[in-house]
């Protein structure tokens, strides 16, 4: 390090030669972290007492059952499993198990508790078992990189955010060689089971792995767990993915603060872009929690085939109306993936990719003549900075990088331009428009999990252990009845194949768990649609405040889940 | 609003014709907000029981007492006042008072509680008094725009963030005409007193107003209250400004989350710019709360006359060292005002302003020859986007807008360039550097105040009431002994002139309350300087988590205050 910054120049870097510390040390925790570690969690009754696993009816698939049956000959049509009280039996099956666990994909608050729950299941029901944590995601399985998880190792992560206990990764087990590597690891560690904690892709992968192990007559069973802050992995039996509750509450806290600031200052429009590229669940949930003036839901934009001009006009119309009512401020929520939902943008980008691959972008703009009329007008409609981004930011394949576009800043510029145009035309004579941009993303992926996520995750992990011990494979751990008190939650497993459909890729059918998008006839969207006009012109802002872990405000569940479960939120 | 977004096209905008709702309605609060409203606050004993006001010794000024004495002939040398128990007296002076209160400048959590405390003082000690809230800051005084504050009006704002009860503004009462307007308002409302809640400038203004009223023999007295999230209004008798505690904890929560994300993902360097243009207290406090790998403190950069190249090299050195230790990730804190602290940047900007005013910026860059050598090299050292910003973003006077530069993005680009250079030279063969930028600002100004800020503000307001009733003017409400239990806190007032020095502006002496900058020999910086090398290469991250309002983690005070008070933090 440079001398100017070293306070005591003779102090050599502390422990420079020591190896990196592995794992966390609870002694350096904040007060809140420390308090969370030992905070007891409520626990579903069915998991507290002796239970038996009961199979349901044979399952089908979300679509194309014929193709799914071909892709999963061993596992297709598996029934769901439900844990039920078994008071007659007090005998514990106490065979030692060897289980692996892996975190796959982006972080979500609560992942550590899934592992805690799984570990405790093994302690409670299969004492002497071994739990291996594969390091750095699925690559850890393929490379057989793991750590043996002990009570001491796990303890500091209890109720803590992040995935750093064993870290995560985005690799997939796809090729025959990779499946072979996974088999080798399973055999080397003599695994009875593997728990894959991940999103839609990772759970699809988990099912392929389960099928592969079963087809090879390996005894390693595979159970998935539903993880993603985006909230787009869910179905009837898996009412929500973990992390969504915490992430939304963290974003909603910030949005609520910005709203109070907007109202206090009276001169800014805050454009808040929220994480969630594929589905707009986070944006919708944050809207239900905070009541912003404007919320753009990607799925609605796509369904109504709206253009960027439509979206801009809608925002400008609300701003004009608000100015008439005496408000020159507001808060606007935008999903990260907004422009992916706009058909005309997709078209422009496809044309640009083609042109960029084959033509020279001349300074005089003659290249633009190659654009179709609609795309040409859209390109010209973009602010200059966005035009440059579209032409300059390319991925390694030379394609336009849509993900790098700061949609919130783009919209601010478009709104500015449109307001100015209307002002020139005499159609707007309001105050000066000042936009402030925000992106809330990384702040929400690794926060301390809420009481809901902590409890839900622990139950998911505990249930996964039960399913593995019960000989199940190819199921996703399913904890239900979530609107009821925790004691009444249900536990079981759902056939992963029942969540699947196929997609045609490179001439082949690939199995996919379809992302659960915001449904325009679903209760959360309907509630939002009913209220948004009031929110637009009045100031119905709600400030959810920081997540509380104790006290009366600590056990609120997110609106989306409650509304989908039919409860009043 | 555009039809595509209206769910029920026949629903007309709700209450479009009604006037805007004035004030908040607690019925639309979140659970946390609702719970906060009625949460009782601890209260200093001296304010609970009968007290008397005792004067201290005559005061001087922070500098140039001769000039301050000339500027404040009526008020200079006023003693401080201290509230002491007065068990002999149980008689209450119960004359009705007419008091005004104003919020001045940027928002800070707790402002509403200052008003609550003031209101309750009047209820407790001068029943039948009237409290006027001037609307929209000092402009409300000048235009005599106010609302009469009643218990019902104030109630929903109890322990709530924001300044929206009466809103704030950045106007100043400066010219003779403006002072005249203030006098007219004071006379029209027959004010006994005025409480000005604001930062250094606003309190200077409060003192000028007090002097003016006194010199004109008006009976309106003026008391200030120390507000600013920046933490740069403080002295021995005013240990901290309100809002700093809450804002830092909100930012530290986000930083802690990003740290856990960095460690879990293992591939990003997060550059976090934090609000605080003048002083780096917020950045320093957040560092003490979270232990980032790198923290840049503006005051140190200025004291050591560091260049941008020094700062960049320091960051790159740490990144290189960390890569050797196996870490290709980290978290870096940067104060908003960083580049204002760098002498060479100031010089370049002065030269640019001169050139932009008189010359043409030719595309071939011939204009650059007008820059001095050092400035030329600095300009060339800047990434292209920053060069463009420097040339294009100008304020109404044609000057470069330093405030608009996104320092965190600038540093990311500079670090990228330096790492690439070192890689070319063979001096760095580490992994790919990926920077993520964040700006935490507006999220922190209007959060729900912490227990500390709630309690401190209420005591400040209550004390301000006592000082006004005691006939005091030109004092700033001062609540001390803050490291002790709340019951033992002291209350009193400090002569505003004792905080002042003069600055020469336009050939005249102007009184100023000097901003309290981070002191390099102060305890907070010393603690940071002792530990930062360890934080740089090890991962000592602490995640403070969300602010808690109940339970064991809810009463932690910020490190800066505790260290400055000599307590162990």
């Amino acid at each position: 390090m440079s001398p100017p910054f070293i306070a005591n120049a003779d102090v050599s870097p502390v422990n420079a030669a020591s190896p990196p510390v592995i794992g966390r040390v609870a002694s350096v925790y904040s007060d809140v972290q420390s308090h969370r570690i030992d905070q007891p969690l409520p626990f579903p009754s069915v998991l507290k007492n002796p239970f038996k696993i009961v199979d349901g009816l044979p399952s089908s698939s979300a679509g194309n059952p014929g193709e799914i049956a071909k892709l999963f000959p061993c596992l297709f049509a598996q029934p769901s499993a439900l844990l039920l009280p078994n008071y007659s039996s007090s005998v514990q099956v106490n065979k030692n198990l060897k289980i692996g666990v892996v975190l796959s994909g982006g972080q979500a608050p609560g992942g550590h508790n899934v592992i805690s729950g799984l570990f405790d299941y093994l302690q409670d029901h299969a004492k002497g078992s071994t739990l291996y944590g594969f390091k750095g995601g699925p690559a850890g399985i393929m490379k057989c990189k793991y750590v043996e998880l002990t009570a001491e190792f796990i303890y500091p992560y209890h109720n803590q955010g992040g995935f750093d206990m064993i870290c995560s990764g985005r690799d997939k087990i796809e090729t025959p060689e990779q499946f072979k590597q996974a088999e080798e690891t399973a055999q080397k560690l003599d695994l009875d089971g593997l728990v894959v904690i991940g999103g839609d892709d990772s759970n699809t992968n988990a099912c392929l792995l389960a099928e592969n192990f079963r087809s090879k007559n390996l005894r390693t069973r595979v159970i998935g767990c539903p993880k993603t802050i985006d909230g787009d992995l869910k179905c009837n039996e898996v009412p929500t993915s973990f992390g969504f509750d915490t992430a939304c509450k963290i974003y909603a806290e910030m949005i609520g603060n910005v709203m109070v600031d907007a109202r206090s200052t009276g001169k800014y429009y805050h454009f808040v872009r929220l994480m969630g590229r594929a589905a707009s669940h986070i944006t919708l949930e944050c809207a239900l929690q905070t009541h912003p003036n404007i919320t753009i839901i990607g799925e609605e934009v796509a369904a109504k085939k709206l253009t960027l001009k439509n979206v801009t006009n809608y925002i400008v119309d609300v701003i004009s109306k608000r100015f008439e009512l005496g408000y020159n401020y507001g808060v606007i929520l935008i999903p990260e993936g907004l422009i992916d939902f706009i058909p005309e943008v997709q078209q422009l980008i496809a044309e640009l990719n083609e042109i960029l691959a084959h033509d020279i972008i001349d300074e005089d703009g003659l290249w633009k003549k190659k654009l179709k009329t609609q795309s040409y007008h859209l390109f010209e409609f973009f602010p200059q900075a966005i035009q440059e981004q579209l032409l300059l930011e390319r991925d390694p394949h030379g394609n336009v990088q849509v993900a790098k576009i700061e949609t919130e800043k783009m919209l601010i510029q478009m709104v500015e331009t449109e307001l100015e145009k209307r002002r020139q035309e005499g159609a707007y004579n309001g105050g000066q428009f000042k936009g402030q941009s925000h992106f809330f993303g990384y702040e929400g992926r690794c926060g301390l999990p809420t009481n809901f996520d902590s409890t839900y995750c622990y139950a998911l992990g505990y249930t996964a252990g039960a399913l593995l011990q019960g000989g199940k494979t190819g199921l996703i751990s399913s904890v239900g009845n979530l609107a009821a008190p925790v004691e009444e939650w249900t536990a079981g497993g759902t056939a992963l194949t029942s969540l699947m459909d196929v997609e045609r890729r490179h001439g082949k059918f690939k199995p996919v768990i379809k992302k659960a998008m915001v449904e325009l006839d679903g209760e959360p969207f309907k509630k939002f649609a009913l209220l948004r006009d009031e929110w637009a012109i009045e100031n119905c802002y709600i400030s959810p405040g920081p997540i509380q872990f104790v006290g009366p405000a600590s056990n609120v569940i997110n609106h989306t889940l409650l509304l989908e479960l039919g409860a009043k939120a």
Side-chain angles (χ1 to χ4, degrees), chain A residues 72 101-105 134-144 169-186 191 194-196 201-213 216 220 222 510-511:
Chain A
F72 297 93
V101 61
V102 68
L103 293 162
S104 183
F134 289 107
K135 289 165 78 171
I141 300 176
M142 296 186 276
K143 297 179 191 158
C144 199
R170 294 187 182 273
D171 303 274
K172 280 182 196 164
I173 300 171
E174 285 184 311
T175 66
E177 296 71 40
Q178 290 171 327
F179 277 108
K180 189 87 186 66
Q181 291 174 322
E183 287 163 30
E184 284 166 10
T185 294
L191 290 185
L194 173 67
V195 175
V196 177
D201 274 355
S202 306
N203 274 287
T204 303
N205 214 221
C207 196
L208 286 166
L209 211 51
E211 176 74 23
N212 182 62
F213 287 155
K216 303 270 172 68
T220 312
V222 186
K510 288 267 185 190

Side-chain angles (χ1 to χ4, degrees), chain A residues 211-229:
Chain A
E211 176 74 23
N212 182 62
F213 287 155
R214 175 66 60 91
S215 72
K216 303 270 172 68
N217 281 320
L218 292 187
R219 82 161 192 288
T220 312
R221 302 177 289 273
V222 186
I223 297 292
C225 281
K227 171 232 71 172
T228 166
I229 63 164

Side-chain angles (χ1 to χ4, degrees), chain A residues 33-232:
Chain A
Q33 285 181 298
S34 301
H35 180 249
R36 286 301 284 165
I37 287 190
D38 296 314
Q39 194 165 327
L41 299 174
F43 196 48
S45 302
V46 68
L47 299 176
K48 263 186 217 160
N49 303 305
F51 54 77
K52 58 188 174 193
I53 301 180
V54 178
D55 283 342
L57 297 172
S59 66
S60 180
S61 69
N64 290 295
E67 297 301 331
I68 296 294
K70 276 188 240 165
L71 289 161
F72 297 93
C74 304
L75 296 181
F76 181 72
Q78 276 204 114
S80 292
L82 190 64
L83 274 59
L84 290 178
N86 187 20
Y87 295 110
S88 60
S89 150
S90 62
V91 185
Q92 296 288 321
V93 187
N94 246 333
K95 178 183 173 291
N96 293 353
L97 294 173
K98 295 200 180 70
I99 305 289
V101 61
V102 68
L103 293 162
S104 183
Q107 280 82 255
H112 289 149
N113 271 25
V114 179
I115 300 176
S116 288
L118 175 60
F119 182 83
D120 287 354
Y121 179 86
L122 297 175
Q123 294 293 306
D124 293 348
H125 296 273
K127 192 92 186 161
S129 293
T130 310
L131 181 61
Y132 299 108
F134 289 107
K135 289 165 78 171
I141 300 176
M142 296 186 276
K143 297 179 191 158
C144 199
K145 285 184 68 177
Y146 62 89
V147 58
E148 192 181 323
L149 298 174
T150 61
E152 294 68 34
F153 191 93
I154 287 177
Y155 173 73
Y157 296 91
H158 198 220
N159 292 338
Q160 306 293 317
F163 273 10
D164 50 318
M165 187 203 290
I166 51 175
C167 292
S168 180
R170 294 187 182 273
D171 303 274
K172 280 182 196 164
I173 300 171
E174 285 184 311
T175 66
E177 296 71 40
Q178 290 171 327
F179 277 108
K180 189 87 186 66
Q181 291 174 322
E183 287 163 30
E184 284 166 10
T185 294
Q187 287 179 308
K188 185 176 166 197
L189 295 181
D190 195 25
L191 290 185
D192 295 286
L194 173 67
V195 175
V196 177
I197 302 167
D200 51 337
D201 274 355
S202 306
N203 274 287
T204 303
N205 214 221
C207 196
L208 286 166
L209 211 51
E211 176 74 23
N212 182 62
F213 287 155
R214 175 66 60 91
S215 72
K216 303 270 172 68
N217 281 320
L218 292 187
R219 82 161 192 288
T220 312
R221 302 177 289 273
V222 186
I223 297 292
C225 281
K227 171 232 71 172
T228 166
I229 63 164
D230 293 349
D232 55 8

Side-chain angles (χ1 to χ4, degrees), chain A residues 190-405:
Chain A
D190 195 25
L191 290 185
D192 295 286
L194 173 67
V195 175
V196 177
I197 302 167
D200 51 337
D201 274 355
S202 306
N203 274 287
T204 303
N205 214 221
C207 196
L208 286 166
L209 211 51
E211 176 74 23
N212 182 62
F213 287 155
R214 175 66 60 91
S215 72
K216 303 270 172 68
N217 281 320
L218 292 187
R219 82 161 192 288
T220 312
R221 302 177 289 273
V222 186
I223 297 292
C225 281
K227 171 232 71 172
T228 166
I229 63 164
D230 293 349
D232 55 8
L233 170 55
K234 58 184 171 187
C235 61
N236 270 346
E237 286 161 299
V238 180
T240 189
S241 57
F242 77 77
F244 176 74
D245 188 72
T246 307
C248 288
K249 284 174 182 162
I250 290 173
Y251 301 141
E253 174 194 357
M254 297 299 120
I255 295 164
N257 289 356
V258 165
M259 284 171 162
V260 179
D261 198 293
R263 183 165 51 192
S264 299
T265 315
K267 63 181 179 188
Y268 292 121
Y269 272 92
H270 294 269
F271 286 64
V272 181
R273 178 169 49 118
L274 292 162
M275 219 172 225
R277 179 151 294 279
S280 299
H281 296 291
I282 289 178
T283 301
L284 179 57
E285 172 62 27
C286 288
L288 291 168
Q289 286 190 29
T290 63
H291 305 183
N293 302 108
I294 296 173
T295 307
I296 311 293
I297 299 297
E299 287 86 341
E300 182 182 28
V301 170
K304 295 186 173 165
K305 297 192 173 53
L306 298 184
T307 63
L308 261 182
K309 185 98 180 74
N310 293 145
V311 174
T312 306
N313 279 340
Y314 169 59
I315 297 173
V316 170
D317 289 346
V318 172
I319 290 173
S320 304
K321 182 78 195 161
R322 287 179 60 77
F323 191 81
E324 287 170 28
L325 293 169
Y327 308 128
N328 192 22
Y329 62 88
V331 175
I332 297 167
L333 305 189
I334 307 151
E336 187 182 15
L338 173 63
I339 57 179
D340 293 330
F341 283 105
I342 300 179
E344 58 168 357
V345 178
Q346 292 308 315
Q347 174 64 25
L348 169 64
I349 287 175
E351 291 179 35
L352 280 178
N353 283 338
E354 197 62 26
I355 292 170
L356 289 167
H358 301 107
D359 297 287
I360 288 162
I361 303 299
D362 59 298
E363 290 214 355
D364 297 332
L366 292 174
W367 67 271
K368 290 182 204 164
K369 293 193 176 163
K370 301 213 169 64
L371 290 171
K372 291 185 185 153
T373 313
Q374 186 203 33
S375 294
Y376 174 81
H377 287 302
L378 177 61
F379 188 82
E380 292 294 310
F381 181 59
F382 278 119
Q384 201 193 336
I386 303 295
Q387 290 184 355
E388 286 173 11
Q389 246 177 335
L390 285 172
L391 297 176
L392 296 175
E393 302 265 6
R394 317 229 198 124
D395 71 12
H397 308 289
N399 290 328
V400 171
Q401 284 202 280
V402 189
K404 287 228 171 162
I405 294 176

